[in-house]
Every structure is written in structure tokens, then in C-alpha cells.
Amino acid sequence: MKQWFLCKVKYQKEDENGRLKSVTEPYLVDAVSFTEAETRMYEEMGERVRGEFMITGISKSKIVDVFNYEDSSIWHKCKVTYYVAEESGKEKKITNQMIVTADNVKDAYDRIYLSLNNMLVSFQVPEVIESTIVEVFNYSGDIDANEKPEEEVEQED
């Protein structure tokens, strides 16, 4: 299961008047540990930020799923609730946090419903808010040039 980490990065950003101002912005990164999250953030931010930057905080996020639509870059946090039956016969309420890109809250609400329409249980979305997250760095899982995927190796035999 994916683990998402919220990383806060402080750096100098040029404002609309051309002046440099110090900003701290949150980013979400998919990693297996705090160490990997920090390493990946240094790699990603090194490509995006000119000058110095500092990672001021890393914390585990409660976000369980990310839905990225290419036509928008504004992230919205959605609270999704559903009920599951326990062995005792009682229903247990499950609440998850998910994020989705959309231009506004209504589109985010519609997109989260569209993304989750294949769930086997009925669910509700009691809360959708615009998030301050600037960007999400998903694990890419790039294959080394010398490695072949297992399927290719099996076909050669």
C-alpha cells in the first residue's frame, strides 16, 4: 500500500513584481520511509528551484489515494466515508482522505464520485476543500536500462 508524506519546502520565489520572497510550500510525495521521502524531495526540488531550498518538515499524510486529472493543477482534499460490516454484524464507519485535481470544489466533488464509482459499498463525500498542496510526486518505478521486465525474460526462454 502506498504511503504518502507531506513535505514542506522553504525557498526564494519571485513574485509578480520581480522581487524575491521567501515561501514555504507543501508537496506530497509517495515513499516507503521518511528517508526516501526526503531524498526524493531533494531530487525533485533540485530540478525545479533555482538557488537554495530547505526541507523544513516531513510528516506522514492521512491521504490514501490520489486522482490526478491533467486538465487542472489545483488539488482538493476530499473526505470520503463508507461503512463496512464487521464479523460481529455491526457496521463500522471508515473515513479516508483523498485528493483530486479540479478547477473548483464542485468539479472536485464530481471527479471523486466518478473515480470511486466502482466501489462495492456505498460512500459519501461529506467534505471537499481546496488544498494548499502545490504538487504531488508519485513513485515512477523507472526500470534500469540493463534490467528487463519479467514478462520479457519469460518470453525469451
Side-chain angles (χ1 to χ4, degrees), residues 73-108:
S73 62
I74 302 170
W75 291 96
H76 292 79
K77 191 184 321 184
C78 305
K79 182 189 288 187
V80 178
T81 60
Y82 57 94
Y83 292 90
V84 294
E86 293 184 324
E87 290 180 21
S88 64
K90 292 183 178 180
E91 283 191 337
K92 180 179 179 182
K93 182 179 180 180
I94 306 291
T95 302
N96 286 325
Q97 300 285 331
M98 301 177 188
I99 61 171
V100 62
T101 53
D103 291 329
N104 55 54
V105 172
K106 182 188 179 324
D107 287 346

Side-chain angles (χ1 to χ4, degrees), residues 52-138:
E52 294 183 16
F53 63 90
M54 180 185 345
I55 297 173
T56 59
I58 301 175
S59 60
K60 282 187 177 180
S61 173
K62 293 181 180 181
I63 292 171
V64 296
D65 218 340
V66 172
F67 300 100
N68 186 11
Y69 289 84
E70 297 298 323
D71 64 344
S72 180
S73 62
I74 302 170
W75 291 96
H76 292 79
K77 191 184 321 184
C78 305
K79 182 189 288 187
V80 178
T81 60
Y82 57 94
Y83 292 90
V84 294
E86 293 184 324
E87 290 180 21
S88 64
K90 292 183 178 180
E91 283 191 337
K92 180 179 179 182
K93 182 179 180 180
I94 306 291
T95 302
N96 286 325
Q97 300 285 331
M98 301 177 188
I99 61 171
V100 62
T101 53
D103 291 329
N104 55 54
V105 172
K106 182 188 179 324
D107 287 346
Y109 182 83
D110 293 341
R111 286 182 172 181
I112 203 73
Y113 260 93
L114 179 67
S115 299
L116 297 175
N117 69 356
N118 61 349
M119 281 184 68
L120 299 176
V121 296
S122 61
F123 62 92
Q124 296 177 341
V125 183
E127 183 178 286
V128 178
I129 59 171
E130 189 172 321
S131 174
T132 57
I133 292 172
V134 176
E135 197 168 346
V136 173
F137 301 119
N138 205 348

